[in-house]
Amino acid sequence: MSSARDSLKSARRIVVKVGTSTLAHADTGKLNLYRIEHLIREIADLHNAGKEIIFVSSGAIATGMNKLGIRIKPQTIPENQALAAIGQGVLMHIYEKFFAEYGQTIGQVLLTKENAADAHARENSRNSLQAILDMGAIPVINENDAVGVDEIRIGDNDNLSAIVAAMIEAEVLIILSDIDGLYDGNPKLDGSARLIDEVPTIDAEIERMAGGAGTKLGIGGMFTKIQAAKLATANGVTMLIINGSTNGNLRRALSGEHIGTIFPRKVTS
Ligand code: GLU
């Protein structure tokens, strides 16, 4: 029996991260509205149950591409910045609509590396997020891709969500993925690959299992999720990777059910 799983039941402040591969249909790249609506209903219900939820969402660039009918991601930075600017608004419009249907208020926060670069910047970002939570609203966070250039970009939302979780002293970070969690092999190639229930320590073996791949739509893959797990757990945050494509998984994970992979936080004193 895992005490880390048990501790999830009483978690109050939770960061939920969703990636493009969960938000969009793999074949068309268009938004999966069924999935988004179910996810938001689940988050709204957790909020109703007294949890503080911080929602980190990717999908700005993919949504911008959709809006303009662009199928292949452009190579230049300004084009990607422009797509993010266009897509972020569309995405927020959809979130605003769904969250409002369930009686929730949201507040958009767009961050870059600079917003967590030093103690002062971190404090400012933290205060903003705290004030949104104090108002009973749900922060919806993405990287500020419209002004993002390499020097100030975090680059992927797995790491961004871990930075946010540490900054706001969340108890749990839940990363919704397009697979069930971390496997000891590649489940797409190897039928005997097994899902790992709990990772007490992230060692070289775990890093090897994470490989380096990502999907066509998302950036992250398992590699950046393991980076995020290192950062989160070292900062007192328990991290979970679960499948975002199954309705009810968030609630199930938070009730201590053994789904996905859990990375228990390192005890910080
Ligand atoms: N911030 C990027 C976007 O909204 C996604 C980064 C990621 O997928 O990790 O398009």
Side-chain angles (χ1 to χ4, degrees):
M1 192 66 211
S2 159
S3 62
R5 294 272 183 189
D6 274 346
S7 72
L8 297 175
K9 294 180 199 159
S10 56
R12 192 174 132 72
R13 182 168 287 190
I14 300 152
V15 176
V16 177
K17 182 259 168 181
V18 64
T20 308
S21 52
T22 301
L23 296 173
H25 290 285
D27 296 343
T28 61
K30 293 188 194 244
L31 290 177
N32 185 336
L33 295 172
Y34 173 87
R35 168 87 12 256
I36 295 173
E37 181 167 17
H38 277 81
L39 177 61
I40 287 172
R41 192 161 72 188
E42 223 176 324
I43 290 175
D45 193 46
L46 289 171
H47 191 267
N48 285 350
K51 314 276 185 197
E52 290 178 322
I53 308 287
I54 297 103
F55 184 43
V56 177
S57 170
S58 306
I61 293 173
T63 306
M65 286 168 59
N66 251 310
K67 173 92 180 171
L68 299 180
I70 296 173
R71 296 298 295 256
I72 297 168
K73 200 167 183 276
Q75 295 298 313
T76 73
I77 291 173
E79 283 172 303
N80 277 290
Q81 289 172 322
L83 287 174
I86 292 163
Q88 183 66 26
V90 177
L91 205 53
M92 284 307 287
H93 185 74
I94 291 166
Y95 286 148
E96 180 64 42
K97 173 179 148 42
F98 283 142
F99 273 113
E101 269 175 20
Y102 298 111
Q104 306 292 340
T105 303
I106 57 174
Q108 172 185 266
V109 182
L110 300 177
L111 299 170
T112 64
K113 207 188 262 177
E114 286 181 327
N115 301 111
D118 57 42
H120 182 66
R122 230 182 352 260
E123 181 71 10
N124 279 334
S125 310
R126 202 197 94 86
N127 289 345
S128 165
L129 293 174
Q130 182 64 51
I132 296 170
L133 292 171
D134 289 344
M135 289 175 184
I138 297 174
V140 179
I141 300 178
N142 195 356
E143 178 139 36
N144 194 353
D145 296 313
V147 296
V149 288
D150 282 350
E151 299 80 71
I152 60 165
R153 286 190 80 217
I154 296 159
D156 71 89
N157 279 7
D158 293 325
N159 277 289
L160 172 66
S161 65
I163 290 170
V164 166
M167 179 192 279
I168 194 76
E169 287 163 2
E171 287 135 283
V172 187
L173 163 61
I174 303 183
I175 294 191
L176 301 173
S177 177
D178 56 354
I179 58 169
D180 288 341
L182 179 67
Y183 283 81
D184 63 1
N186 184 339
K188 287 178 187 139
L189 304 174
D190 173 7
S192 65
R194 281 183 316 123
L195 181 66
I196 300 172
D197 180 73
E198 180 167 335
V199 177
T201 308
I202 299 164
D203 54 19
E205 179 65 5
I206 294 293
E207 289 185 329
R208 185 196 59 75
M209 289 170 191
T215 65
K216 193 166 62 164
L217 292 169
I219 292 174
M222 272 301 153
F223 182 72
T224 51
K225 289 177 181 50
I226 298 302
Q227 287 181 328
K230 275 190 187 167
L231 189 66
T233 54
N235 282 282
V237 181
T238 291
M239 194 182 106
L240 266 160
I241 302 172
I242 60 173
N243 197 325
S245 311
T246 311
N247 290 341
N249 261 0
L250 261 183
R251 192 171 39 79
R252 244 175 255 137
L254 287 169
S255 67
E257 227 178 89
H258 281 255
I259 58 167
T261 304
I262 191 166
F263 301 78
R265 72 191 169 100
K266 303 284 166 224
V267 181
T268 50
S269 55

